[in-house]
Amino acid sequence: KNEVEQSPQNLTAQEGEFITINCSYSVGISALHWLQQHPGGGIVSLFMLSSGKKKHGRLIATINIQEKHSSLHITASHPRDSAVYICAVGSNFGNEKLTFGTGTRLTIIP
Amino acid sequence: DADVTQTPRNRITKTGKRIMLECSQTKGHDRMYWYRQDPGLGLRLIYYSFDVKDINKGEISDGYSVSRQAQAKFSLSLESAIPNQTALYFCATSEAGRLQETQYFGPGTRLLVL
């Protein structure tokens, strides 16, 4: 069993829909990261969080440490949100090594 | 200009050849990482370096070596390339200090080993 599981693997939605991507992990962590990989391959960090909730524009990330679960939400989705979204967790041993999920491929149709 | 750059961006090589992938950063970060990405798999750590004198193996270091020439430069070498090293390679950097820091990724190097 992978330490980091994401669901769904693929998601297609209409422009304007509310999007939720889920991430579950099985190890103790110091922080969880959400990353976005553009169709061209580049990777950008969206959020790093260890508790609660963070918001940036139309993106919201939440984490429940007790349940070992995080969600990434996109409100008013747009075709430019089409990308692969990757969840990664940092171990609680403090060495900053990340374990990555396999990603969720999101396609937003105009 | 990009903060984390990788060269080359694309490379085709033959089995048995030695190749080097280079990473440079202008962010002033001490910590640098090399990852590979394969279809259907998550990013996997090859090597990481927490400062110029520190080199550590990641989960898949066999067949690879690295050199940290300066704070800003971290190179990955494949001494004798093999086809299953065909992948997308990313360099990343982060600040030192707190338990967890955001990692900043380069644009990636697409490597094909024939």
Side-chain angles (χ1 to χ4, degrees), chain A:
Chain A
K1 186 181 186 303
N2 291 334
E3 291 182 353
V4 181
E5 298 273 359
Q6 288 186 235
S7 63
Q9 287 188 312
N10 295 281
L11 178 57
T12 300
Q14 293 290 133
E15 182 173 355
E17 287 189 36
F18 181 81
I19 303 299
T20 296
I21 298 170
N22 297 299
C23 176
S24 297
Y25 53 92
S26 57
V27 297
I29 68 167
S30 58
L32 182 141
H33 303 248
W34 281 103
L35 309 164
Q36 180 191 54
Q37 185 167 22
H38 300 293
I43 297 175
V44 175
S45 180
L46 298 174
F47 296 103
M48 181 179 69
L49 64 166
S50 54
S51 65
K53 175 179 173 179
K54 286 191 175 180
K55 184 176 189 292
H56 185 259
R58 294 180 295 106
L59 273 59
I60 304 165
T62 64
I63 188 168
N64 184 317
I65 296 293
Q66 287 73 30
E67 295 186 2
K68 293 185 167 60
H69 181 268
S70 175
S71 293
L72 176 68
H73 304 286
I74 304 174
T75 62
S77 60
H78 190 276
R80 65 175 175 267
D81 297 325
S82 297
V84 175
Y85 293 84
I86 300 169
C87 171
V89 298
S91 77
N92 57 5
F93 294 106
N95 57 16
E96 290 191 32
K97 289 194 289 184
L98 297 180
T99 300
F100 295 80
T102 56
T104 294
R105 184 174 299 276
L106 174 65
T107 303
I108 303 298
I109 299 171

Side-chain angles (χ1 to χ4, degrees), chain B residues 73-112:
Chain B
K73 295 185 182 296
F74 192 36
S75 300
L76 176 72
S77 294
L78 287 68
E79 296 300 327
S80 180
I82 57 177
N84 76 0
Q85 291 177 312
T86 293
L88 185 54
Y89 290 84
F90 287 99
C91 173
T93 73
S94 70
E95 288 186 82
R98 295 187 299 171
L99 202 61
Q100 280 287 322
E101 295 289 343
T102 296
Q103 293 192 13
Y104 297 86
F105 288 80
T109 295
R110 205 169 287 275
L111 176 66
L112 173 61

Side-chain angles (χ1 to χ4, degrees), chain B residues 8-62:
Chain B
R9 295 292 312 278
N10 295 279
R11 178 75 184 266
I12 300 173
T13 192
K14 294 182 179 179
T15 297
K17 294 291 187 182
R18 182 181 188 277
I19 68 161
M20 179 182 290
L21 309 183
E22 299 186 341
C23 177
S24 294
Q25 52 113 348
T26 59
K27 298 190 75 68
H29 290 167
D30 286 323
R31 301 185 175 190
M32 298 187 74
Y33 312 80
W34 273 106
Y35 296 98
R36 68 177 277 175
Q37 186 179 42
D38 299 275
L41 298 178
L43 285 152
R44 292 181 291 168
L45 183 63
I46 306 172
Y47 271 95
Y48 61 104
S49 168
F50 281 179
D51 64 42
V52 174
K53 297 179 181 179
D54 176 77
I55 301 289
N56 304 281
K57 292 183 177 181
E59 58 182 299
I60 53 163
S61 59
D62 287 349

